[in-house]
Amino acid sequence: MKVTVHQAMCVASGNCGLVAPRVFQNRQENGGFVELLQADPDGADLEAAQEAEYLCPSGTIQVGKHRIPARKSGDGIPGKAP
């Protein structure tokens, strides 16, 4: 199953590299931002990537073909209509 990372969304929490170190890496030289090591993991690596997707606080990681929803203007901002 294909793994995608959306770099612009990453907040460098490091969860992905801790949970799935053979799929993701968070190097200090890169500010701790995610680097994808395996785009098509299988077995235990796929399960770890799915857990990393679930734990990612910014939604940077996408496993499979589901789409990340686009934000509407004003989403989550009090007093702003979408």
Side-chain angles (χ1 to χ4, degrees), residues 42-82:
D42 58 8
D45 288 337
L46 175 58
E47 288 179 24
Q50 290 170 325
E51 183 177 356
E53 177 188 33
Y54 176 76
L55 293 174
C56 182
S58 62
T60 298
I61 299 167
Q62 179 181 356
V63 179
K65 294 187 178 189
H66 66 274
R67 295 180 58 198
I68 293 178
R71 283 183 55 125
K72 295 178 185 173
S73 178
D75 273 359
I77 302 172
K80 294 274 186 175

Side-chain angles (χ1 to χ4, degrees), residues 2-21:
K2 185 175 179 185
V3 175
T4 306
V5 295
H6 302 274
Q7 295 288 344
M9 296 171 66
C10 184
V11 296
S13 71
N15 291 340
C16 55
L18 293 173
V19 171

Side-chain angles (χ1 to χ4, degrees), residues 25-33 35:
Q25 179 174 307
N26 306 90
R27 295 183 312 149
Q28 290 296 345
E29 305 86 56
N30 190 24
F33 291 98
E35 293 180 38

